[in-house]
Structure formats: C-alpha cells, structure tokens
Amino acid sequence: MQNNLTVIIGGGAAGICAAISTARRGESVVICEKTPFLGKKILATGNGRCNLLNDTLDETFYNTAAHDLVKSVFNRCGKAEILNFFKGLGLEIYSQDGRIFPRTNQAASVLKVLELELKRLSVPVEYGFDCDSVIKTSNGLTVSPKSGKKIECVKVIIAGGGKTYPSFGADGSAFTLARQLSHTIIEPVPSAVPLVIKDNLCHLLQGQRIFASARSVINDQSGKPVSGELLFTKYGLSGTCILDISEAVSVAINRQHQTDVDVAVDLAPFMDETALKDELKKRRKMNVPSEDMLAGILPNKFGGAFKEVFEQGNLDLAVRSIKDRRFKVSGTRGWNEAEFTSGGIAVDEVKLGTLESKLVEGVHFAGEVLDVNGHRGGYNLGWAWASGVVAGQ
C-alpha cells in the first residue's frame, strides 16, 4: 500500500476535481470509474453548453437541511475559487443572466481542460472499476471491485453521483457503499423532472409551449410560484417552471407517498384577474365565438381547448381556469429524464468543512451522493466542483 494513496470512486465532476485537488498537494491518487469514460454527465449539462456556475453562489439556493454543510464548503472553495480554478486551466468563461458558461458554449471544452490537468498531474484512472465495497482495516481502507484487484489506501473519496442519467454510471451504487459504512440515506427521488398528469387539457395542447407561472399545492399548502416556460406533453407537464417546482412534488409523491398533490398554473401571468375578466366581458358583448375568446391572449390552440368553458357562460369560472388552473399530479417521470437527485447521504453524518465521514475515519464524500440539492442554474455543478476540491484537500 502506498502510504498516502487516495482512491476516488467516480470520475464525474466532483471526482475529477477531488483528484486534481489531491494530486496538487503532492499525494498519490487514483480515480476508479465504472464506465469507459470520465465526465460523461458533464457533457450533458446545460443542454451540452455546461452551466458551470451561478453569479450568486451561496447556501440559500440549496435544500434547507444542507445549508450548514454547503456554507462550510463554500467558505473554503466558493465562487471566486472555482472561477480561479477554471481560469488556471485555461478555460474562458462568460455570464448570461447570472448563469456562467464556457466561452465556447461546449461542455466538451470543460471536460477537455479537466482531462488535460489530470494528464499533467499524471493521475491514473482505473476504467471499468465497479466498486463493490469499502472496508475499514487496521492499516487504512480496502476498496474492492466486483471483479479484479483490490486497492489498499489511507483515504477514500466517494463521488459516485446520485441516480440521474443511470446510463452515465450514476445508478445509485454509491449509496450502497455508504450504507455498508453505516451511513443513513435520505431516500433519493428525481428532481428537476417533468410531471405525470392525466388531464384532457394536456392531451388537447400537446406540444404547446407558453410562458406561465406554476406552483406546487401539497395538502392545500402552496409553494412559491415560479415563472418560465410551460410545455404540455402527452404524459403531462414539463418546461422550466415545472422543473423548478418539481422537487417538492417529487418528495411528496415518491418519498412521502402523498396523494393530495396538485400543480396550480397561471396560464396568463402577464394579466391580473380583473384585466382578464374585463377583456373577456368586452369580447362577450361583441359576440366573439367561444373558440375565439382567447385569441391574442394565448396561442390559437387554446381556443378549442377552452371552448367548453366559455360555452358555459360563467366568466368567473373561465378566469379561474386560466389564472389558477389545477392539475392533479399522479407521478413524475423517471431518472432518465430528471436533471438532479434529491436525497442521499444524511448531511449531519458528515463533518463540516472537510466532508469526512463522522462514522468512518478516512472516508470522504463529494458531489451528488450527499443530500445536497441546488436550484437549476449552475448550483449543482457549483456544488460538485467545490465539494470535490474540498474533499481532495
């Protein structure tokens, strides 16, 4: 056994940063990656552009349980340190609406500069290494794959990701390793995920995109409304405003098994109820046909979809149907369509500032394997970079 060998399980964003951070300290390190490639998930982020970071990076953009841990990590490696890290790798970046991207607009550029740094530091990678166990021994730790040679080391950084995009290697196996080490796992559920809704309006408007506002309504408790794109699909609702409110919905349905879960949508957030009702009254007096009552307010497809509502002659009902349309949520789409994992290793079992396990000396965690879930907009990658660097230190 090399006296100071660190084994990193998982060659994603957090694992690569952990390896670079460790190697820069002059310590021996090896990345154990189950797939034939490093950083496959990086290539998929930001629709292939790689939303590296956000201009407003702090703990308030993460799940409440993780605030103290996230703050302790960002105190050591925050926005300035992450930007300097990538600048030092030669990556040119720019900011757009608070979101930070590589100047090339290609996630492949981000992965390339990281790989070049690994090569410069002579960091070895064991590909096809599907880790089966991490065992504490009298001399340190032993990492064992499902097949092949065991590796003895003094430090292990588990950075195997959550459960999103399982084809990229993040299939939840890192949670199994943590359970073996007696860690508590907050049940992982898909987050930033489209919602399954059986509603005739979704069928009638399939493929239609509009700007809308949406909020979760769980057991009659309303969440914070979020504005953005709304997409009607054959299975329900998607679009940015749905992805942004989906975590609470997913936790309620998939983890807490609640059934009283709705999404309230304002289909015309640019008009208040009074203005909308006044406009509809004017059109009614002009004998505008029911199927044309929303012409110029919403896309033409909505005319047919709301024809029956206007034929009832109740304008208050029509206004409610547009400004506060309730959709009963029956489920979420699966891990292949989710952007993030909500859940993971309980943060109170991890040391602040170092990300070392409180239960097993020498074991650290980084990235999405922890119960740390950020908003969309570069926060989750921001956590991956920072936690990887700090775990490696």
Side-chain angles (χ1 to χ4, degrees), residues 74-273:
F74 286 164
N75 281 343
R76 293 187 63 185
C77 182
K79 175 190 165 187
E81 288 78 13
I82 296 170
L83 291 178
N84 286 335
F85 174 82
F86 280 105
K87 184 178 180 181
L89 298 180
L91 187 73
E92 293 293 326
I93 60 171
Y94 74 99
S95 178
Q96 180 183 51
D97 300 325
R99 300 182 179 209
I100 297 173
F101 296 94
R103 180 61 66 181
T104 61
N105 278 322
Q106 291 187 334
S109 299
V110 179
L111 182 56
K112 173 58 76 172
V113 297
L114 290 168
E115 288 178 326
L116 287 172
E117 182 66 358
L118 289 175
K119 185 176 181 180
R120 185 186 74 82
L121 293 166
S122 300
V123 175
V125 182
E126 293 276 351
Y127 293 105
F129 192 106
D130 193 355
C131 188
D132 194 45
S133 69
V134 176
I135 299 171
K136 181 71 175 172
T137 67
S138 57
N139 295 323
L141 296 153
T142 300
V143 178
S144 302
K146 289 182 177 178
S147 61
K149 62 179 181 181
K150 298 178 179 180
I151 302 177
E152 294 186 344
C153 58
V154 294
K155 179 177 176 180
V156 170
I157 300 174
I158 298 178
K163 296 185 74 173
T164 52
Y165 303 111
S167 61
F168 294 167
D171 56 4
S173 57
F175 299 136
T176 301
L177 297 177
R179 282 195 188 94
Q180 290 174 1
L181 297 167
S182 300
H183 275 280
T184 304
I185 306 298
I186 307 301
E187 183 183 355
V189 299
S191 181
V193 64
L195 303 179
V196 177
I197 293 165
K198 296 175 182 176
D199 190 294
N200 193 46
L201 194 61
C202 296
H203 173 70
L204 292 172
L205 295 172
Q206 183 178 330
Q208 182 68 63
R209 299 173 186 267
I210 63 169
F211 179 82
S213 176
R215 57 190 166 86
S216 61
V217 184
I218 302 167
N219 293 326
D220 293 326
Q221 296 293 311
S222 285
K224 183 180 178 181
V226 175
S227 297
E229 182 186 77
L230 178 72
L231 170 64
F232 293 90
T233 72
K234 62 183 179 182
Y235 55 76
L237 294 175
S238 188
T240 57
C241 69
I242 295 299
L243 299 182
D244 284 339
I245 66 167
S246 65
E247 181 185 6
V249 173
S250 184
V251 168
I253 291 176
N254 296 319
R255 187 185 296 163
Q256 300 170 349
H257 308 294
Q258 309 230 20
T259 55
D260 187 9
V261 181
D262 293 343
V263 167
V265 177
D266 182 350
L267 299 168
F270 45 85
M271 298 179 77
D272 62 27
E273 290 189 13

Side-chain angles (χ1 to χ4, degrees), residues 13 23 27 58 70 91 93 105 167 211 213 228 262 267 274 285 312 340 359 387:
E27 297 185 3
D58 65 59
V70 172
L91 187 73
I93 60 171
N105 278 322
S167 61
F211 179 82
S213 176
D262 293 343
L267 299 168
T274 301
K285 288 179 181 178
Q312 294 178 37
F340 312 125
L359 309 182
S387 60

Side-chain angles (χ1 to χ4, degrees), residues 58-60 62-77 183 344-358 364-373 383 386-387 390-391:
D58 65 59
E59 71 277 5
T60 62
Y62 297 80
N63 53 311
T64 304
H67 280 186
D68 288 346
L69 186 66
V70 172
K71 184 177 181 179
S72 75
V73 168
F74 286 164
N75 281 343
R76 293 187 63 185
C77 182
H183 275 280
I345 297 165
V347 292
D348 59 357
E349 296 175 356
V350 179
K351 294 178 183 178
L352 298 178
T354 67
L355 299 176
E356 185 177 15
S357 166
K358 291 180 180 178
H364 293 67
F365 303 103
E368 203 174 17
V369 70
L370 288 155
D371 181 26
V372 177
N373 185 30
W383 168 250
S387 60
V390 167

